[in-house]
Amino acid sequence: MAGFKDQNFNDRRSTSADAKKALLEKFRAKPAADDPEVQARLAERQKISVLQANFRNSGQVTRVANDLLKIKHARFGSVDRESNFLVRAVAQEPGSVTFLPDDPRVKRHLDDQIRGSTEYAVLVLRDEDKAAARKAFGTPLIFSVHEAKGLEYPNIILHNFISGARQTFREITEGVTPADLDRDELNYARARDKTDKSLEIYKFYVNALYVAVTRAVNRVTLIESDTGHPLLALLGVGMGDEAEQLRASRASRDDWEREARKLELQ
């Protein structure tokens, strides 16, 4: 009887060992996460779940936002999956993205038109940049890009957003050509050098500009001291009309109170 039990035990142990061996071999035969076929299937599944129709931003705002993702992809590969999908503008409004020189006369002309409106907000890259923006603009709607997440306005003014970090943005554009932006979709590919920690720094700046641009429903105006910066040319952002008369409606007291309540809930 004891021998029968021992034989039964040995059989079970042998069967268990065989099962473990088969499982291990199956695991070893499984394609790794970086296998091209695995990445392609994963990207396709994600593509299905990502909303690629943009109902909020105008055509030009969406175009520039997409071009920023293309620059990021061309320069660094797929730094992250969430920025690997381009969107299509559905809004009928073409909108605009232009730049103006950082000139006191130009900023005074802008300020005279927007300071009493809730339709315009001024964004800067960092909290410490708000002081300079407040000297130029009287609107209380001045935010760092971090504060602006989740907000949206019909029109956005970016104050020295690129010029304030000109060297970093210049490095981001290195080696990127207009041909890199001439595509309708991005293929997922791992970052070119995962050991390069500078990618995280570059990612912050590109993402910050992306967030800032997409806060605008209709129009973005960049006020830049470095009007010859290569990023402006690469993005196809041209000079705006310095003397343009904006159609900025003057907000009522009720408008400002609604805006204050909105920001309190932010």
Side-chain angles (χ1 to χ4, degrees):
M1 192 72 171
F4 177 78
K5 289 184 177 178
D6 288 344
Q7 182 61 42
N8 191 29
F9 173 77
N10 290 334
D11 289 344
R12 289 201 307 272
R13 185 171 63 178
S14 176
T15 301
S16 176
D18 290 343
K20 288 179 180 178
K21 183 178 178 181
L23 185 61
L24 183 59
E25 289 176 352
K26 183 178 179 181
F27 177 78
R28 286 173 176 168
K30 183 180 179 181
D34 58 355
D35 183 276
E37 291 187 8
V38 174
Q39 290 188 359
R41 289 197 299 269
L42 182 58
E44 189 62 30
R45 286 200 299 269
Q46 280 199 305
K47 187 175 181 179
I48 295 173
S49 63
V50 173
L51 180 63
Q52 292 185 285
N54 185 345
F55 294 89
R56 185 169 64 88
N57 304 111
S58 67
Q60 282 299 305
V61 171
T62 301
R63 180 192 66 78
V64 171
N66 280 339
D67 282 352
L68 281 168
L69 297 184
K70 294 174 187 178
I71 290 171
K72 183 177 175 182
H73 187 274
R75 181 70 168 82
F76 310 112
S78 300
V79 179
D80 46 38
R81 290 186 182 276
E82 65 268 19
S83 61
N84 206 57
F85 299 97
L86 306 177
V87 295
R88 175 177 52 86
V90 177
Q92 297 300 312
E93 184 65 45
S96 66
V97 181
T98 58
F99 73 86
L100 293 173
D102 183 15
D103 180 279
R105 176 181 54 82
V106 172
K107 291 193 287 190
R108 194 160 47 245
H109 176 69
L110 273 177
D111 182 48
D112 287 343
Q113 298 181 80
I114 72 166
R115 65 187 306 150
S117 176
T118 56
E119 297 175 353
Y120 282 80
V122 179
L123 269 59
V124 296
L125 181 60
R126 297 163 291 239
D127 285 335
E128 54 265 35
D129 298 328
K130 288 192 291 186
R134 289 190 180 111
K135 290 181 179 179
F137 298 101
T139 177
L141 303 178
I142 296 178
F143 310 99
S144 69
V145 68
H146 178 72
E147 293 170 329
K149 287 183 177 180
L151 296 177
E152 67 174 41
Y153 290 91
N155 311 284
I156 291 291
I157 294 174
L158 304 185
H159 188 256
N160 274 319
F161 209 95
I162 296 173
S163 303
R166 68 185 69 194
Q167 183 57 37
T168 301
F169 280 113
R170 186 177 294 272
E171 291 170 2
I172 288 170
T173 64
E174 286 180 0
V176 184
T177 68
D180 292 316
L181 278 57
D182 188 19
R183 55 174 63 188
D184 296 325
E185 60 181 39
L186 302 177
N187 297 320
Y188 181 78
R190 290 201 171 212
R192 295 177 183 177
D193 184 0
K194 292 187 288 185
T195 64
D196 185 359
K197 298 304 181 184
S198 66
L199 291 182
E200 288 301 314
I201 298 175
Y202 291 130
K203 175 183 172 182
F204 164 78
Y205 284 94
V206 178
N207 287 357
L209 183 53
Y210 180 91
V211 169
V213 167
T214 54
R215 296 313 89 199
V217 173
N218 182 48
R219 175 178 185 150
V220 178
T221 303
L222 296 93
I223 305 295
E224 298 291 347
S225 58
D226 187 358
T227 56
H229 197 284
L231 181 55
L232 294 173
L234 192 58
L235 290 172
V237 176
M239 173 83 83
D241 182 0
E242 297 180 14
E244 181 181 3
Q245 296 298 318
L246 304 177
R247 298 175 181 176
S249 59
R250 191 169 187 83
S252 65
R253 180 171 180 173
D254 287 343
D255 292 332
W256 284 113
E257 288 178 351
R258 279 194 295 270
E259 184 65 27
R261 286 195 294 272
K262 181 185 78 174
L263 294 175
E264 284 177 1
L265 296 173
Q266 179 63 20

